[in-house]
Amino acid sequence: MREEGPSAETAVPAPPSLHETRRTIRTFAIASFLNDLGSDIIYPIWPLFVTQVLKANMAALGFLDGLGEAVVSLSQAVSGHWSDKLRRRKVFVWIGYLCGAASRLGYAASSIWPHLVPFRVLDRAGKIRSAPRDAIVADVSTDANRGRHFGLLRAMDNLGAVAGILVAIALFDVLGYRLLFALAAIPSVIGALFILKSIKEPREPGGRVFKGFSLRAIDRDLALYVALNGVFALGAFTYSFLLLNAKAAGFKTGFIPVLYLVYSVAAALLSYPFGRLSDRVGRKPVMFIGYGAWAAVCGIAAATRDLAAVALLFVLFGVHKAALEPVQKTIAAELAPAAYRASVLGAFQMVVGLAALPASLLAGVLWDRAGRRVPFVVSLGLTAAAALLLAFVKGTKRPAA
């Protein structure tokens, strides 16, 4: 049962005005664009830098990517709890952006792959911004527009990714890996300054002090929802494997960032429409679309190395991300008690992220020892299990009659 009573009720922020809501969503959208602009200057060339320049094998790449996701999970759990406890959100957001900027300078200075480990930790620790930011977005939204607000943020993330990839493609031959990594720090610094200037700390009513998150706040549906997302995450290895699968299929190195661009454009164009669709038809149908698209990615990758089919994978990967990510957070926010929203969102991301470490590491080991098809087959089975469990989750928002 969810915890009720005065302490839970008094922790809920005062309702914002329409103007404040629009300003908050607009500011976060711009900051998201800027941060992903910087991130995605790096992401298309990250697996090539790690494996070709720093001479790491696939298991090491899987470890680095999985470690990053695990740190994301822990940082979001900690920041979500302390954001609720301190009743502060904004400080976690702008510090998170600065961590990302600093890490990219570290990548640029690394000469062997183990040097990347502390900077990978710092980079992903920057995700302390996510749970407090998502809690603000959930609080300033209503059931009628929450899906589209999360969808807009994902759309701006992906538009920033498109811009970053275009920068990488345009400047890679001129600057090379290391100068591009240094350049990628600048947009996140600008985003941090923008948050500092434009976001006001949400108003909190006076009264009782937040007493901390309790397991009593988690009901059956929330627990099942967290568990099934953990199951799915065990098979949802990182995009690096799709890029290297494309390389193995025969795409030239210079074309790999273009495939990542295809994915990012698809995700950018579809994130907001899928968020709006979830406000109309319900959250679960859109999440099933996301699972179905990922199942198609795994099935095609395991079955063929045809270049056209491999290119199609990146469109389907964009559909998957656009449908899954906005709705995934929206459901978690709506199943969570309002007084513990940041804590629940952080704990949710912790479970998903902790599952991502063995997922990417296992995928790398299976790729090296059993062949490139095996990780995709395993992921296909875990996706089917997660979709089955989702059918039993109740309490998600449905369109008004």
Side-chain angles (χ1 to χ4, degrees), residues 28 68-69 106 133 136 183 186 194 204 227 242 304 322 341 363 370 401:
F28 281 141
E69 294 307 313
R133 185 202 68 174
I136 295 175
L183 177 67
I186 297 173
F194 195 57
E204 294 282 355
L242 292 179
T304 181
R341 189 163 270 155

Side-chain angles (χ1 to χ4, degrees), residues 299-349:
I300 295 173
T304 181
R305 299 181 75 172
D306 177 75
L307 292 185
V310 172
L312 176 63
L313 294 183
F314 290 87
V315 177
L316 292 172
F317 188 47
V319 173
H320 158 67
K321 288 292 188 180
L324 182 70
E325 290 185 339
V327 178
Q328 192 179 42
K329 288 184 177 181
T330 303
I331 294 176
E334 290 174 343
L335 290 175
Y340 303 113
R341 189 163 270 155
S343 296
V344 169
L345 285 167
F348 170 75
Q349 292 296 334

Side-chain angles (χ1 to χ4, degrees), residues 61-79 117 120-128 233-234 236-238 345-361:
L61 175 64
F63 168 73
L64 286 169
D65 284 354
L67 174 65
E69 294 307 313
V71 171
V72 165
S73 67
L74 293 173
S75 66
Q76 292 193 88
V78 170
S79 66
V117 172
R120 189 66 171 167
V121 171
L122 179 64
D123 185 1
R124 308 320 285 161
K127 282 288 188 175
I128 60 171
L234 283 172
F237 42 78
T238 67
L345 285 167
F348 170 75
Q349 292 296 334
M350 179 184 71
V351 170
V352 171
L354 286 177
L357 175 56
S360 292
L361 181 58

Side-chain angles (χ1 to χ4, degrees), residues 19-284:
H19 173 72
E20 289 174 333
T21 295
R22 288 176 175 172
R23 182 185 63 199
T24 298
I25 299 299
R26 182 172 61 248
T27 299
F28 281 141
I30 294 172
S32 293
F33 173 87
L34 289 169
N35 186 66
D36 275 64
L37 167 62
S39 296
D40 283 84
I41 290 175
I42 291 176
Y43 286 171
I45 57 176
W46 167 261
L48 303 178
F49 177 69
V50 175
T51 58
Q52 296 184 7
V53 178
L54 302 188
K55 306 303 181 183
N57 60 21
M58 288 296 296
L61 175 64
F63 168 73
L64 286 169
D65 284 354
L67 174 65
E69 294 307 313
V71 171
V72 165
S73 67
L74 293 173
S75 66
Q76 292 193 88
V78 170
S79 66
H81 170 76
W82 281 100
S83 176
D84 282 338
K85 190 174 182 65
L86 300 175
R87 299 189 187 182
R88 294 290 182 270
R89 311 284 199 215
K90 176 179 172 179
V91 62
F92 296 97
V93 182
W94 64 264
I95 288 178
Y97 283 130
L98 290 182
C99 286
S103 69
R104 291 162 203 164
L105 297 177
Y107 293 156
S110 297
S111 57
I112 57 175
W113 78 260
H115 290 168
L116 298 173
V117 172
F119 299 113
R120 189 66 171 167
V121 171
L122 179 64
D123 185 1
R124 308 320 285 161
K127 282 288 188 175
I128 60 171
R129 64 183 178 270
S130 295
R133 185 202 68 174
D134 292 343
I136 295 175
V137 172
D139 287 341
V140 302
S141 304
T142 67
D143 293 344
N145 60 26
R146 192 171 287 115
R148 72 189 65 181
H149 284 168
F150 277 109
L152 175 63
L153 293 185
R154 286 307 304 160
M156 293 301 288
D157 284 342
N158 289 309
L159 284 173
V162 171
I165 296 162
L166 291 174
V167 170
I169 293 172
L171 297 182
F172 177 72
D173 289 337
V174 177
L175 300 180
Y177 289 102
R178 299 183 189 280
L179 287 179
L180 269 180
F181 285 3
L183 177 67
I186 297 173
S188 291
V189 172
I190 297 173
L193 295 175
F194 195 57
I195 293 293
L196 275 170
K197 178 181 178 182
S198 302
I199 292 292
K200 293 183 178 180
E201 195 69 51
R203 295 193 302 268
E204 294 282 355
R208 304 167 191 258
V209 177
F210 175 82
K211 295 183 179 180
F213 178 69
S214 169
L215 290 177
R216 293 172 58 196
I218 300 179
D219 65 9
R220 170 208 171 269
D221 288 308
L222 180 56
L224 179 59
Y225 183 70
V226 172
L228 74 89
N229 278 277
V231 170
F232 175 74
L234 283 172
F237 42 78
T238 67
Y239 71 94
S240 295
F241 291 88
L242 292 179
L243 295 178
L244 291 172
N245 178 65
K247 183 77 164 55
F251 282 101
K252 295 181 178 179
T253 300
F255 197 76
I256 297 300
V258 177
L259 293 174
Y260 190 79
L261 175 64
V262 169
Y263 144 67
S264 298
V265 169
L269 293 176
L270 294 174
S271 292
Y272 184 66
F274 274 131
R276 292 196 65 178
L277 182 63
S278 77
D279 288 334
R280 290 188 170 192
V281 304
R283 313 299 187 204
K284 285 167 63 175

